[in-house]
Amino acid sequence: MDFTGSSGGGSDHRQIEESKPLLGEMSATEGSKMGAARCRRPLLHCNGMRYKLLQEGDIQVCVIRHPRTFLSKILTSKFLRRWEPHHVTLADNNLASATAWGACVLQSLALLAGSTAGTVCISSKPTGYMENSISYSAIEDVQLLSWENAPKYCLQLTIPGGTVLLQKKIYKYKKVLSNPSRWEVVLKEIRTLVDMALNSPLQDDSIHQAPLEIVSKLLSENTNLTTQDHESIIVAIAPLLENNHPPPDLCEFFCKHCRERPRSMVVIEVFTPVVQRILKHNMDFGKCPRLRLFTQEYILALNELNAGMEVVKKFIHSMHGPTGQCPHPRVLPNLVAVCLAAIYSCYEEFINSRDNSPSLKEIRNGCQQQCDRKPNLPLRLLHTSPDLVSQEATLSESRLKSVIVTSNEIHVEVERNNTANQKMTANVGNDSEPNLIDCLMVSPTCSTMSIELSAQADRILGCYVEILKMLSDYDDWRPALASLLQPIPFPKEALAHEKFTKELKYVIQRFAEDPRQEVHSCLLSVRAGKDGWFQLYSPGGVACDDDGELFASMVHILMGSCYKTKKFLLSLAENKLGPCMLLALRGNQTMVEILCLMLEYNIIDNNDTQLQIISTLESTDVGKRMYEQLCDRQRELKELQRKGGPTRLTLPSKSTDADLARLLSSGSFGNLENLSLAFTNVTSACAEHLIKLPSLKQLNLWSTQFGDAGLRLLSEHLTMLQVLNLCETPVTDAGLLALSSMKSLCSLNMNSTKLSADTYEDLKAKLPNLKEVDVRYTEAW
């Protein structure tokens, strides 16, 4: 609809027919049906353009009931009004809607100005505001409304009991911009369109999205515009982009501009706030992947500036904010999603050809013949020795000494030595797919593997790996970043790329150095049989390029916080005993401690392996000293057990961890069965001394600072404990769940702890001998 006139005068509505149409243009015959009575008076003529009336059209409708209470006044304020799109028809006697609002959706909210007259097929009964038609005889008054900065905007129909508002929106510009002739006129219309959308009092998100959709369609249908035209249009619609995401087609246009003119000031001045809004408010890139692509291209454009990564670093810092805590929780997940997609694109050509490339099993067992492969594989396999697997394979490889297939994007080279070839025969009959990192990194079949990217892909990879390194430098982002990178989200081609793993090593180091368990625990695999960063960067993996220094630091931090100490030692003994012994032989103190713990906890059953570990420890000064201390502790323990000692012990109140350690080291407590530390100041640190009491059956920790970490250690070593009092201790579900392994528990006091009902039910199910339980003043009570 198109309305004119001033906002307040009651006589303004009489001039509507002389100046503007109600719903648009139409033929002269169609305008004769307007009005409650069928009067056929000619249209009034005035100087200038002539206008005619439409019989139907798409408009926005809002119905306001007369407010009777304070609450109804609030609900009917203009900021809370709900507008509905309706296809309104001017019948002979009433104003009716042909829209089942809420049951079907018309083409778009942007169809007001371009509608054509004709018969409308009503598929269902009208609903919403226009469920009942409005009789012309019931209309008491017609006025033109105006709000601040938006005159001549809305038609008000006063009816008994309320008011009907008919809203003209911005869609007349769609018709003007659909057939552009002169671009200076088009640009002017776009500016006017944007201004009208910004000044609109209509509380609807589509009022801002409609101009973006119109401009997006305009750009997609006119691909021959000059660069100056592009920039002029971008600057014109910039105000709308401050609070609205660009539609998909517009994102593609922005991506093209970033690629073709990365140094344009439009990128910095216009695109920066748009990308910032995307990173702060986007909830799911899967539903709008072009927003992610636009963000990716914008960051690459920043990297093309003279300062390069310094500009990118400033942008990342602006997204985090100047304080130590980022106020926008969506920024980090969105940045990581952009980085992962960009890194994936670097290896996309090779990933897409996986069906034609050798599988992991083929890399391990030998490749199939060239005639069985499809052409144009981005893979190069060099076979150094033909005496493999079987006679048939030998003949085929002798005919094809080198299978070479080139690619412009990726070049992969796999070499195998003679020793590795001999080991391949054991795997020929194995039909299961080999483990990813075992095959690519640990398997002796692959002595070297290198991937070469194109120059463009190499720049993209370098940029986004550098961003991941920046993200890992923020303390508040590091826990979430570690969680997002577990399990390993990168393709296997990236994990086989030496440059990628070498650059990403900085991020893994930051995880390993972080004292928080939620950070460094993400280095481990997420489940059994699935390798994690710990396995990838351990000796034997292709990512290990530092003789095991990072591996040693990861073991040190994990041993310091891992409550499943014995379980972690078992995994090291099964999979990484060789690297541990090698690093211990080179004097690494952490590895020496690991070997001593394996002996102390009886992790190694094989006598020859035990003797080899002892020999390794005695080969260095630090190892010899720590092994002697271990032997002394074991002798003291045996003497304590032989001498006996008291069976019951109570520490005085206010005793500390140091007092307990001094007491236990001064006497014989091999037969101690009952220990009370109630109302002392001991903490979880005393657990290291408690686990050395082999006969302990009853432990009282009432009103101490003994927490989850100590409880986890007790649950692993004191499996014969029968009575445990944790009343008024700071333990939580995280520590109490570990008690499920203490099958001998028959009495457990968890009074006034942070026990939940679910954990309590879980403990009851897993502790069959539990007879006495105190859960008063907990959630389970």
Side-chain angles (χ1 to χ4, degrees):
M1 298 168 60
D2 200 355
F3 311 117
T4 61
S6 60
S7 58
S11 61
D12 293 338
H13 66 280
R14 303 187 190 96
Q15 301 175 8
I16 292 176
E17 190 176 271
E18 296 179 323
S19 56
K20 295 284 185 177
L22 276 179
L23 296 174
E25 299 180 1
M26 60 166 281
S27 62
T29 57
E30 291 171 338
S32 59
K33 296 184 179 182
M34 179 63 183
R38 298 184 181 182
C39 62
R40 297 180 180 272
R41 54 190 177 87
L43 293 174
L44 299 178
H45 296 279
C46 62
N47 295 331
M49 296 184 62
R50 296 181 181 180
Y51 296 89
K52 300 177 182 178
L53 298 178
L54 266 182
Q55 186 177 356
E56 60 184 64
D58 295 309
I59 63 174
Q60 296 287 308
V61 178
C62 179
V63 175
I64 303 175
R65 304 301 176 188
H66 286 168
R68 289 183 173 83
T69 64
F70 180 74
L71 178 61
S72 62
K73 290 181 179 179
I74 296 177
L75 295 177
T76 55
S77 66
K78 72 174 183 178
F79 297 105
L80 297 177
R81 291 171 187 165
R82 177 171 59 87
W83 294 80
E84 296 177 358
H86 281 271
H87 190 89
V88 176
T89 302
L90 300 179
D92 290 341
N93 300 314
N94 55 38
L95 184 69
S97 172
T99 302
W101 193 87
C104 65
V105 180
L106 295 179
Q107 297 176 355
S108 171
L109 294 180
L111 296 179
L112 272 175
S115 61
T116 57
T119 304
V120 177
C121 178
I122 303 177
S123 58
S124 60
K125 183 180 178 181
T127 59
Y129 288 147
M130 298 295 292
E131 180 176 3
N132 299 318
S133 60
I134 301 173
S135 174
Y136 298 142
S137 60
I139 298 177
E140 300 174 354
D141 190 16
V142 178
Q143 292 186 15
L144 288 175
L145 293 185
S146 66
W147 291 286
E148 185 179 358
N149 298 324
K152 310 172 188 177
Y153 202 79
C154 183
L155 185 67
Q156 173 183 301
L157 306 181
T158 302
I159 59 176
T163 301
V164 178
L165 302 180
L166 303 180
Q167 176 75 39
K168 173 190 177 294
K169 294 181 69 177
I170 53 181
Y171 308 118
K172 68 176 183 179
Y173 297 95
K174 180 179 180 182
K175 189 173 183 179
V176 177
L177 297 176
S178 60
N179 298 307
S181 57
R182 296 169 54 195
W183 281 103
E184 58 272 14
V185 176
V186 169
L187 189 60
K188 181 180 179 181
E189 292 292 337
I190 291 177
R191 293 194 184 102
T192 308
L193 172 68
V194 171
D195 290 339
M196 180 172 290
L198 293 175
N199 295 325
S200 168
L202 186 63
Q203 302 300 310
D204 194 331
D205 292 338
S206 63
I207 197 68
H208 293 155
Q209 283 293 333
L212 296 177
E213 296 286 351
I214 294 173
V215 174
S216 177
K217 185 177 180 181
L218 171 70
L219 294 172
S220 63
E221 294 177 352
N222 298 271
T223 58
N224 58 346
L225 299 179
T226 64
T227 303
Q228 186 61 39
D229 293 333
H230 285 176
E231 295 195 352
S232 299
I233 293 175
I234 293 173
V235 172
I237 64 175
L240 285 179
L241 297 173
E242 293 180 2
N243 297 310
N244 299 274
H245 288 339
D249 292 339
L250 204 56
C251 284
E252 288 189 0
F253 172 71
F254 291 167
C255 290
K256 181 181 178 182
H257 191 80
C258 288
R259 286 191 295 265
E260 294 179 352
R261 298 203 64 191
R263 297 173 180 266
S264 170
M265 290 305 297
V266 169
V267 174
I268 300 294
E269 297 177 356
V270 178
F271 290 168
T272 297
V274 179
V275 174
Q276 287 176 336
R277 187 182 188 279
I278 291 173
L279 292 175
K280 290 177 181 179
H281 300 287
N282 176 68
M283 298 299 293
D284 186 6
F285 274 134
K287 296 179 180 178
C288 43
R290 295 183 187 178
L291 288 179
R292 181 180 60 197
L293 182 61
F294 168 49
T295 306
Q296 176 181 331
E297 294 292 344
Y298 166 79
I299 294 176
L300 290 176
L302 294 184
N303 193 35
E304 293 293 326
L305 300 177
N306 293 334
M309 289 308 301
E310 286 299 321
V311 181
V312 177
K313 186 175 182 179
K314 290 180 180 179
F315 174 74
I316 299 297
H317 182 70
S318 70
M319 297 306 306
H320 179 274
T323 62
Q325 192 76 19
C326 178
H328 305 287
R330 293 301 311 166
V331 168
L332 179 66
N334 286 334
L335 277 173
V336 173
V338 171
C339 291
L340 295 181
I343 293 173
Y344 184 91
S345 68
C346 297
Y347 306 93
E348 191 168 13
E349 181 178 339
F350 184 71
I351 294 171
N352 292 338
S353 62
R354 278 181 182 173
D355 294 338
N356 296 334
S357 62
S359 66
L360 297 178
K361 183 170 65 176
E362 291 172 345
I363 294 177
R364 173 172 284 182
N365 296 342
C367 295
Q368 54 183 300
Q369 301 180 18
Q370 187 181 25
C371 59
D372 297 332
R373 292 192 180 281
K374 299 178 182 180
N376 300 326
L377 303 182
L379 183 67
R380 181 183 181 188
L381 299 178
L382 301 178
H383 303 275
T384 58
S385 177
D387 51 345
L388 293 176
V389 185
S390 63
Q391 183 177 3
E392 179 180 357
T394 302
L395 294 176
S396 64
E397 290 194 355
S398 63
R399 289 193 300 267
L400 184 60
K401 185 75 174 182
S402 178
V403 181
I404 301 176
V405 185
T406 60
S407 170
N408 294 328
E409 291 293 330
I410 299 178
H411 171 261
V412 181
E413 182 175 304
V414 180
E415 297 177 354
R416 298 177 297 189
N417 52 34
N418 294 334
T419 305
N421 291 337
Q422 296 173 2
K423 297 181 181 180
M424 289 174 59
T425 57
N427 298 321
V428 174
N430 187 7
D431 293 333
S432 62
E433 189 75 8
N435 182 274
L436 167 62
I437 298 181
D438 284 345
C439 182
L440 292 181
M441 292 100 186
V442 183
S443 173
T445 307
C446 302
S447 59
T448 62
M449 174 173 278
S450 61
I451 295 180
E452 295 181 5
L453 302 179
S454 67
Q456 176 64 15
D458 194 67
R459 285 193 297 270
I460 296 175
L461 181 67
C463 175
Y464 283 97
V465 173
E466 194 67 28
I467 291 178
L468 289 177
K469 293 162 69 174
M470 295 177 193
L471 299 180
S472 67
D473 286 332
Y474 291 95
D475 290 339
D476 61 319
W477 275 355
R478 203 174 298 129
L481 178 62
S483 178
L484 291 170
L485 297 185
Q486 187 200 35
I488 299 176
F490 302 102
K492 62 182 181 181
E493 290 77 11
L495 301 180
H497 189 192
E498 181 179 359
K499 178 179 178 180
F500 172 74
T501 54
K502 185 176 181 179
E503 292 294 326
L504 197 66
K505 180 181 175 182
Y506 178 85
V507 179
I508 307 306
Q509 286 177 327
R510 299 294 285 163
F511 292 165
E513 295 168 358
D514 197 292
R516 291 167 292 184
Q517 184 178 352
E518 63 267 27
V519 177
H520 55 245
S521 62
C522 292
L523 297 171
L524 297 172
S525 57
V526 68
R527 59 180 180 271
K530 185 73 173 179
D531 290 320
W533 296 113
F534 178 77
Q535 290 81 6
L536 182 65
Y537 282 90
S538 62
V542 73
C544 181
D545 59 353
D546 55 2
D547 294 330
E549 293 182 7
L550 178 58
F551 171 70
S553 64
M554 288 192 290
V555 171
H556 176 75
I557 192 68
L558 289 170
M559 280 298 298
S561 65
C562 186
Y563 67 93
K564 293 292 185 182
T565 306
K566 191 173 289 186
K567 182 178 180 181
F568 184 62
L569 289 173
L570 280 171
S571 66
L572 288 178
E574 293 175 358
N575 303 313
K576 301 298 178 184
L577 183 58
C580 290
M581 294 175 63
L582 177 62
L583 294 176
L585 193 61
R586 294 175 179 176
N588 187 284
Q589 186 170 348
T590 300
M591 293 298 111
V592 171
E593 294 176 359
I594 291 296
L595 295 183
C596 289
L597 287 174
M598 288 181 179
L599 295 176
E600 184 175 1
Y601 293 160
N602 295 320
I603 299 297
I604 306 298
D605 296 329
N606 187 281
N607 290 333
D608 291 336
T609 305
Q610 289 181 356
L611 293 175
Q612 186 176 353
I613 291 176
I614 295 173
S615 301
T616 302
L617 292 173
E618 293 180 339
S619 300
T620 60
D621 293 338
V622 62
K624 185 182 297 184
R625 183 175 67 256
M626 295 185 70
Y627 179 64
E628 290 175 354
Q629 294 174 355
L630 171 63
C631 294
D632 292 339
R633 289 198 303 271
Q634 290 181 334
R635 281 194 297 268
E636 292 174 0
L637 180 61
K638 292 179 180 179
E639 290 177 2
L640 288 175
Q641 292 174 339
R642 185 173 63 253
K643 292 179 181 179
T647 58
R648 300 176 64 89
L649 178 64
T650 300
L651 243 66
S653 61
K654 307 303 180 182
S655 299
T656 63
D657 295 331
D659 299 328
L660 177 63
R662 191 178 301 111
L663 178 64
L664 294 181
S665 63
S666 62
S668 175
F669 297 97
N671 293 331
L672 187 64
E673 295 181 358
N674 189 321
L675 175 61
S676 176
L677 302 176
F679 305 104
T680 64
N681 294 331
V682 297
T683 66
S684 296
C686 73
E688 297 181 1
H689 307 289
L690 298 179
I691 63 176
K692 298 176 183 178
L693 301 175
S695 303
L696 193 63
K697 295 181 180 179
Q698 300 180 24
L699 180 60
N700 188 350
L701 296 169
W702 187 3
S703 189
T704 64
Q705 295 303 310
F706 198 88
D708 292 338
L711 203 57
R712 291 163 179 164
L713 195 59
L714 294 184
S715 66
E716 187 174 353
H717 294 273
L718 299 182
T719 56
M720 302 304 295
L721 198 66
Q722 298 177 1
V723 179
L724 180 59
N725 189 342
L726 299 172
C727 179
E728 298 181 6
T729 58
V731 295
T732 65
D733 287 344
L736 292 171
L737 281 173
L739 297 178
S740 59
S741 62
M742 305 176 73
K743 303 299 182 182
S744 299
L745 273 179
C746 58
S747 176
L748 181 59
N749 190 336
M750 296 176 286
N751 187 322
S752 303
T753 63
K754 297 180 180 179
L755 172 72
S756 68
D758 292 339
T759 300
Y760 177 53
E761 296 296 329
D762 188 66
L763 286 176
K764 287 197 302 182
K766 294 182 179 179
L767 297 176
N769 297 322
L770 194 61
K771 298 178 181 179
E772 297 179 1
V773 184
D774 189 349
V775 294
R776 289 175 296 172
Y777 307 107
T778 66
E779 292 183 6
W781 188 29

